[in-house]
Amino acid sequence: MKIRLCTSSSKFLWHRGRNHNTSDASNMQPHHLTPPSQGSSIVFPQPFFALTLQKDPSEALVIAVTTRAIFDLEEEHQLYLEKGKEEYVRHQQANQDKPLPPGTAFAFIQAAQYVNKKILESNPAEKGLFDILVLSNNSPESGVRIINSAKHYGLEISKFCFVSDEDSTQYLKSHRVKLFLSADRTDVCNALRRGVSAALVFQQEVQAPSTLLRVAFDGDAVLFSDETDQIFREQGLEGAMQYEREMEAVPIGEGPIKAFAMHLGNMRKKFSQEESPIRTYLVTARSGRDMGIRAIKTLREWGLAIDEAFFMDGAPKGPILAQIQPHIFFDDGLHNIQGAQDVGVPSAWVPLCC
């Protein structure tokens, strides 16, 4: 039997009448209407409470994370693999009040929450906020610990979806997800096939970056398509540089993370550069001299402003990432992911082949 549960922890706004005693439980009852007299109009009383949504999904930047991406569930996952689902569920229920340790994407979600705070300070009516959705392939019975952990850390997560024995990525489009982070490669590949920006996170110990949200992107096969990488594999470095010179005036194709980067860029435009709580970086293996111009022109054509760009000419990215201290770094090269992990930078792998 397949089970699905999506729950929202949206806030409630309580409307109290002038004569209501809020400490009197008897007042916490529905209103009753008295039939109107003939010829009179019906006046509907103020509802006792009205649901107020924190964010508007049509305007929000929705990020979906799996439970193993936002929390460290490696021990629990190993228990699931070795002893099965029933033992895993029993363990989660027995420990439902014990907060899970933060996972790789935890600091990224915290920083997104800080951006929301700064946006609302500037404009309390703004609806274009980060909206976080937790997606889990686990059953609802094991979900209490996940929700309690989010509450323990003060995470303003409004939606939790627990889906048993199904491909949870089928719900991404209906929730208007712009970025999906998972610790499962199959999930990531399914999301990419559905046209959703997605990346694989590996459990790692991370340093605690500053509150300012910092996001770093690789270029080819991440922000951009892998067209130049393909030329490089077929014709070598000289062929790739020649191709870039010939195509300098033509924007590079879109990569799998471009859509998310554009939404993040639009959010960044709500602030001046000096006051923005968001900083973005391009850290690419491209040579600035031979391949940098086309990349910069492409970003300009897209209208995507990047705060800082580093053209590494094939040099290791770890040292510059250690200096930047991003909350998340997207790259398609596992060697670059490893280099980032070695310096404590939370990393997300964008698989080229699924």
Side-chain angles (χ1 to χ4, degrees), residues 17-32:
R18 182 171 51 189
N19 298 323
H20 285 181
N21 180 353
T22 58
S23 63
D24 183 358
S26 65
N27 284 325
M28 298 179 66
Q29 301 294 332
H31 290 281
H32 297 282

Side-chain angles (χ1 to χ4, degrees), residues 248-280:
E248 186 177 296
V250 180
I252 308 171
E254 300 179 3
I257 303 297
K258 186 249 186 176
F260 164 69
M262 293 298 297
H263 287 289
L264 185 65
N266 290 335
M267 183 175 284
R268 184 184 172 281
K269 291 176 182 177
K270 301 178 190 294
F271 302 90
S272 66
Q273 185 169 2
E274 295 75 19
E275 298 179 350
S276 177
I278 302 170
R279 288 192 69 81
T280 53

